[in-house]
């Protein structure tokens, strides 16, 4: 009897260790689903790009809340304000196209630094001048976001760098956090702008115009802060061809170097040989293969449709709508959109987890399409709280497709074409979006503000349907091709 009771005694102590192991596995799985594991192991350059995105969108959030109100306070008509935004976007189109087209050849880091300086310069101009045409010139040549969204060459270059520095299986996570930092920055920018304005006008008794100018001084400072982050980027952010040129010996160098460092899809030397025959400005131009042209053309059409919908109903016009229609105080308005941006940022992490299961294209459509229905309804209710509910639902879910879309583009576009194609897409989006504000200005002048919401939601819903129809199968094909390319590189 006693011998039978002894064995169970020592057998009980080893039992406690398994729960911590299980807890650790669960915690690791949760962190993996949230994308934090991928972000933690990403290169320092990726983390610096996320910090730049936060700071830049902080500036856009600061300026977006007051841009329309500032131009209105200067005595400009709504149609003139719409024209201002349209011309601003057109100017950004030209500058962004030029900078992204040559970014890989001139240097990605240098291009990002130049953009940061232009951003700071715009803030200074808006703080010092009030003439319509001077401000328009500053907005066109510099960097001022009229709609609260990305503007300038930054995003195309940064997303190309992220794709270059991360593995395909981690891109969705990295893009989710990259986008999250952007939304969080815009959210903090809006709440800072709203409450700083209220502090300056109510506590310090500044007049409204001086308060607006102080906000643009803050915007200029944010541009300089972004510049400081850019200067810390390493040479690894440059394109592989540019890095290969830098590693060659001075003079003519060995002609085998570019062949060995080429990043073509098949590892073949044709692209470098063609490059050697180019001279002057043509040598700096990127090449887009014939096979990619149909993909790029379809993407341009669909992304242009989506951007036109955004341009018809940009965030700056939405914030002004609630000030004009319901007389919402700027401090409260900043807080409201702070909450919506934070909710949108949180939703991106959910979208990244969904994309791992459904794929990028299905996730893009399933998260973006319902949001546009609520966008179309914002201008319908006469009750402020119902309109705000529709606005909050739309704003909280409209960006869920951002990370899957970036990962989708990184997959569907060949590595050596990414910066140029992403830059081209941004130019198409900006051009399409530039047509929207002037239409909105005319609609508002004719007391048809509600129609801008309906039009915007409908156009963006058509984009979702088009993406699903054209690219559901194409994404899988490109994923297989990229895996094969990476496998061949590993074998070599």
């Amino acid at each position: 009897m006693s011998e039978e009771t002894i064995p169970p005694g020592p057998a009980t102590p080893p039992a406690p260790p398994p729960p911590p192991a299980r807890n650790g596995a669960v915690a690791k799985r949760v962190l993996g689903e949230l994308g934090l594991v991928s972000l933690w192991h990403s290169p320092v350059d990726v983390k610096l790009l996320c910090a730049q995105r936060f700071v830049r969108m902080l500036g856009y959030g600061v300026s977006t809340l007051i841009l329309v109100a500032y131009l209105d306070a200067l005595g400009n008509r709504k149609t003139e304000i719409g024209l201002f935004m349209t011309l601003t976007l057109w100017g950004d189109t030209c500058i962004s196209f030029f900078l992204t087209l040559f970014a890989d050849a001139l240097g990605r880091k240098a291009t990002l630094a130049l953009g940061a300086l232009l951003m700071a310069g715009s803030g200074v101009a808006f703080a010092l001048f009030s003439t319509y045409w001077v401000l328009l010139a500053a907005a066109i040549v510099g960097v001022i976001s009229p709609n609260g969204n990305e503007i300038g060459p930054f995003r195309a270059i940064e997303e190309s760098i992220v794709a270059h520095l991360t593995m395909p299986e981690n891109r969705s996570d990295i893009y989710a956090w990259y986008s999250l930092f952007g939304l969080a920055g815009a959210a903090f920018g809006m709440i800072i702008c709203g409450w700083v304005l209220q502090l300056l006008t109510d506590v310090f008794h500044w007049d409204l115009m001086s308060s607006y100018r102080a906000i643009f001084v803050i915007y200029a400072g944010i541009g300089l802060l972004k510049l400081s982050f850019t200067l810390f980027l390493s040479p690894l952010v440059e394109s592989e061809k540019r890095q290969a040129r830098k590693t060659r010996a001075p003079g003519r160098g060995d002609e085998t170097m570019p062949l060995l460092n080429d990043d073509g899809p098949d590892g073949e030397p044709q692209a470098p040989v063609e490059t050697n025959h180019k001279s002057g400005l043509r040598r700096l131009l990127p090449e887009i293969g014939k096979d990619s042209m149909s993909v790029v053309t379809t993407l341009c059409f669909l992304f242009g449709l989506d951007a036109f919908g955004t341009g018809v109903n940009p965030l700056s016009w939405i914030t002004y709508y609630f000030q004009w229609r319901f007389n919402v105080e700027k401090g409260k308005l900043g807080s409201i959109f702070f909450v919506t941006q934070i909710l949108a940022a949180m939703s991106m992490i959910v979208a990244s987890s969904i994309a791992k299961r459904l794929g990028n294209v299905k996730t893009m459509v399933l998260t973006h399409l319902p949001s546009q229905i609520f966008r179309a309804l914002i201008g319908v209710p006469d009750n402020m709280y119902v309109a705000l509910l529709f606005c909050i639902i739309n704003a909280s879910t409209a960006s869920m497709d951002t990370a899957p879309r970036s990962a989708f583009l990184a997959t569907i576009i060949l590595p050596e074409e990414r910066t140029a194609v992403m830059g081209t897409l941004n130019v198409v989006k900006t051009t399409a979006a530039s047509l929207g504000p002037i239409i909105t200005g005319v609609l508002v002048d004719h007391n048809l503000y509600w129609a801008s919401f309906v039009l915007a939601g409908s156009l963006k819903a058509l984009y979702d349907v088009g993406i699903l129809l054209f690219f559901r199968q194409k994404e899988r094909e490109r994923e297989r091709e990229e895996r094969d390319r990476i496998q061949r590189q590993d074998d070599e």
Side-chain angles (χ1 to χ4, degrees):
M1 294 286 294
S2 60
E3 292 180 358
E4 293 178 359
T5 57
I6 293 172
T12 51
R22 285 199 298 270
N23 291 339
V26 170
K28 187 174 182 180
R29 184 185 178 95
V30 170
L31 293 175
E33 287 292 334
L34 294 176
L36 287 170
V37 174
S38 300
L39 182 65
W40 177 262
H41 290 101
S42 65
V44 175
D45 287 322
V46 170
K47 298 179 178 70
L48 282 172
L49 291 175
C50 289
Q52 285 191 57
R53 182 92 197 277
F54 176 85
V55 169
R56 182 171 68 253
M57 294 305 293
L58 179 75
Y60 293 167
V62 163
S63 63
T64 297
L65 195 67
I66 65 165
L67 183 59
V68 174
Y70 177 58
L71 295 173
D72 183 57
L74 291 173
N76 300 298
R77 291 176 297 150
K78 303 298 186 298
T79 304
E80 291 175 335
I81 296 174
L83 178 63
F84 182 97
M85 293 187 171
T86 296
L87 294 177
T88 297
L89 290 170
W90 282 352
D92 172 73
T93 298
C94 298
I95 294 175
S96 296
F97 181 69
F98 175 82
L99 291 177
T100 53
L101 194 63
F102 298 102
D104 281 357
L106 298 176
R108 294 170 176 173
K109 182 176 177 179
T111 306
L112 291 174
L114 176 60
L117 287 173
L118 292 174
M119 182 177 175
S122 296
V124 171
F126 271 72
L128 295 179
F129 302 100
S130 58
T131 306
Y132 181 87
W133 295 108
V134 173
L135 294 180
L136 180 61
I140 291 175
V141 177
V143 179
I144 286 282
S145 176
N147 53 16
N149 295 328
E150 277 284 9
I151 196 168
F154 307 112
R155 184 171 180 175
I157 298 172
E158 289 174 353
E159 288 189 348
S160 181
I161 295 172
V162 170
H164 171 64
L165 295 177
T166 57
M167 296 297 293
E169 60 268 20
N170 296 330
R171 283 177 191 156
S172 180
D173 291 335
I174 299 298
Y175 282 129
W177 281 97
Y178 171 82
S179 301
L180 185 150
F181 278 110
L183 278 179
F188 280 102
M190 285 186 175
I191 194 171
I192 288 170
C193 177
W195 289 109
V196 167
L197 271 178
Q198 205 153 320
L199 177 69
L200 294 176
T201 55
D202 295 351
V203 178
F204 294 102
H205 304 293
W206 286 25
D207 62 271
L208 198 57
M209 195 59 65
S210 298
S211 302
Y212 286 152
R213 295 185 190 281
I215 294 297
F216 285 111
V217 171
I218 295 174
Y219 181 85
I222 290 172
L224 294 177
L225 179 59
K226 185 200 174 309
L227 175 63
S228 66
F229 282 119
T230 303
L231 297 178
F232 282 106
L233 292 172
S234 75
L236 294 176
V237 303
E238 305 295 350
S239 66
E240 292 187 2
K241 289 184 179 180
R242 183 175 174 83
Q243 291 182 46
R245 286 200 300 269
K246 284 192 173 184
T247 56
R248 284 184 294 176
R252 290 178 177 266
D254 184 356
E255 289 187 358
T256 62
M257 286 297 292
L259 304 183
L260 295 173
N261 286 278
D262 179 54
D263 191 34
D266 299 318
E268 297 179 358
Q270 283 87 345
V273 172
E274 289 180 7
T275 305
N276 289 338
H277 289 295
K278 291 183 178 182
S279 61
L281 191 63
R282 290 186 61 204
R283 185 174 59 84
L284 300 177
L285 291 170
E287 296 177 7
I288 298 178
K290 294 180 180 179
D291 294 340
S292 300
M293 287 305 299
S294 61
V295 173
V296 173
T297 302
T298 307
L299 285 173
C300 285
F301 173 75
L302 292 174
F303 277 53
L305 193 66
D306 178 59
F308 180 60
T310 302
V312 168
N313 199 221
L315 185 58
S316 54
W317 277 110
I318 295 175
T319 58
Y320 183 73
Y321 172 76
F322 284 98
Q323 295 178 52
W324 169 77
R325 179 76 180 274
F326 301 110
N327 199 27
V328 181
E329 294 180 0
K330 293 180 177 61
K332 292 181 179 179
L333 196 63
S335 298
I336 290 169
F337 282 94
F338 170 79
V339 172
T340 61
Q341 295 285 9
I342 292 299
L343 290 174
M346 293 170 61
S347 71
M348 285 183 177
I349 304 302
V350 177
S352 176
S353 182
I354 295 173
K356 294 174 185 176
R357 292 160 174 80
L358 299 182
N360 293 316
V361 171
K362 289 182 179 178
T363 304
M364 289 162 61
V365 175
L366 289 175
T367 57
H368 191 255
L369 183 58
S371 175
Q372 304 318 309
I373 297 173
F374 289 101
R375 177 187 285 264
L377 296 174
I378 291 174
V380 176
D382 292 326
N383 185 285
M384 180 186 71
Y385 297 103
V386 177
L388 277 174
L389 176 63
F390 290 157
C391 181
I392 290 171
I393 295 174
N394 166 254
S396 301
T397 56
S399 300
M400 286 186 74
D401 71 321
T402 303
R405 181 172 56 197
S406 298
F408 159 73
L409 287 176
T411 301
I412 209 77
I413 301 171
L414 297 177
E416 64 272 19
E417 300 170 355
R418 280 186 190 128
T419 302
V421 172
M422 287 182 175
T424 301
L425 288 174
N426 280 350
V427 167
V428 170
K429 288 161 61 179
T430 304
T431 303
S434 68
L435 303 174
I438 192 168
I439 294 174
T440 307
V442 172
L443 290 173
V444 174
D445 274 343
H446 289 80
N447 201 28
L448 293 172
Y449 219 139
W450 62 271
S452 68
F453 291 101
V454 175
L455 179 59
S458 302
L459 290 170
K460 293 171 81 66
L462 286 175
Y463 150 81
D464 290 320
V465 175
I467 285 288
L468 187 63
L469 290 176
F470 286 104
F471 290 105
R472 185 175 56 180
Q473 297 298 329
K474 188 68 176 178
E475 182 190 22
R476 296 173 185 171
E477 296 175 8
R478 283 294 171 92
E479 282 178 346
R480 286 195 296 268
E481 292 174 5
E482 184 164 16
R483 288 195 196 99
D484 293 342
R485 183 182 62 83
I486 293 173
Q487 185 62 45
R488 287 196 300 270
Q489 290 178 344
D490 292 340
D491 293 340
E492 292 173 1

